[in-house]
Amino acid sequence: MTIRRLAAALVLALAAVAVLALRTGDRVRDRPDQQVASESGATPSAADVHYARMMVTHHEQAVRMSRTLIAKGAVPERIRLIAEFIIHDQQREIDRTNDWLAAWSQPPAAPAGGGAEHGMLTAAQLAELDRADAGPAPAVFLRLMIEHHRGAIAMSRSLLDRPGGNAYLRSLAKHVINEQTAENDAMAALLRA
């Protein structure tokens, strides 16, 4: 299979998952906070709450990056589809995780700072995407998003390495690892092509 066919297949798979995620996300948002909490298992530890807040902040940065790219216009279709998927999938996870935090009477995530902690991109890296013209912007986006996803994958693996923990967050961590690994494979193939 050629790289172009592989990239096309991965993008189509991501699009199919996006449709399913959007349908599921709509049903989840209609549920009260207490139901989300009661379905999420064990009382969260400080590490669980920290992961939840960091993942919200991390996802918000990915959504911002994706919107920045799409706003530039003339984005190749395959890359635009990935950016749109990231917006929908990660916004759904932001909303659900914020509901989870509220259900456990935990404060929401703080706004992102300018540092690269927990796999966040720096202000300089975000500025590189902001400054990029429409021509080079897709490649800048792919390169930075791959790095960004690696941070989320590392955070999620760290959470799963701990014994026990809250069921909702363990499920979220597994989803982040699977989804963002697949997205990184698709984005790397597009960069090579």
Side-chain angles (χ1 to χ4, degrees):
M1 180 176 274
T2 67
I3 289 178
R4 287 179 193 253
R5 284 187 179 173
L6 176 62
L10 286 170
V11 168
L12 288 175
L14 287 173
V17 170
V19 170
L20 179 60
L22 286 173
R23 288 182 186 155
T24 304
D26 289 342
R27 286 194 301 269
V28 168
R29 274 192 289 278
D30 294 337
R31 299 185 321 182
D33 288 346
Q34 290 304 320
Q35 187 174 357
V36 172
S38 68
E39 291 176 1
S40 64
T43 301
S45 67
D48 289 332
V49 173
H50 178 72
Y51 173 81
R53 287 190 191 127
M54 285 307 305
M55 197 52 65
V56 166
T57 303
H58 202 269
H59 280 8
E60 286 171 343
Q61 191 176 71
V63 169
R64 175 188 178 267
M65 292 167 62
S66 298
R67 287 187 173 138
T68 297
L69 176 70
I70 290 170
K72 292 180 183 291
V75 177
E77 182 181 18
R78 291 176 182 165
I79 299 171
R80 180 183 51 78
L81 289 172
I82 289 173
E84 288 174 351
F85 178 78
I86 289 169
I87 290 168
H88 295 296
D89 187 56
Q90 294 197 19
Q91 186 61 56
R92 177 186 56 83
E93 290 174 12
I94 290 167
D95 294 342
R96 183 135 194 232
T97 303
N98 279 332
D99 287 346
W100 180 90
L101 286 165
W104 286 105
S105 302
Q106 297 296 323
E117 66 279 352
H118 302 288
M120 298 286 287
L121 297 180
T122 65
Q125 289 172 307
L126 294 172
E128 179 185 2
L129 178 60
D130 291 342
R131 286 190 314 268
D133 292 330
V140 171
F141 170 82
L142 292 173
R143 178 175 47 80
L144 292 176
M145 191 61 76
I146 288 169
E147 181 179 341
H148 191 264
H149 278 8
R150 286 179 182 147
I153 292 166
M155 282 193 316
S156 297
R157 285 190 176 134
S158 292
L159 180 81
L160 293 175
D161 285 345
R162 293 184 314 105
N166 183 270
Y168 166 71
L169 292 181
R170 293 186 70 79
S171 175
L172 174 63
K174 290 174 187 175
H175 173 77
V176 167
I177 291 168
N178 293 334
E179 191 63 49
Q180 295 192 17
T181 298
E183 290 171 14
N184 273 0
D185 291 345
M187 292 186 292
L190 288 168
L191 271 176
R192 288 190 301 268

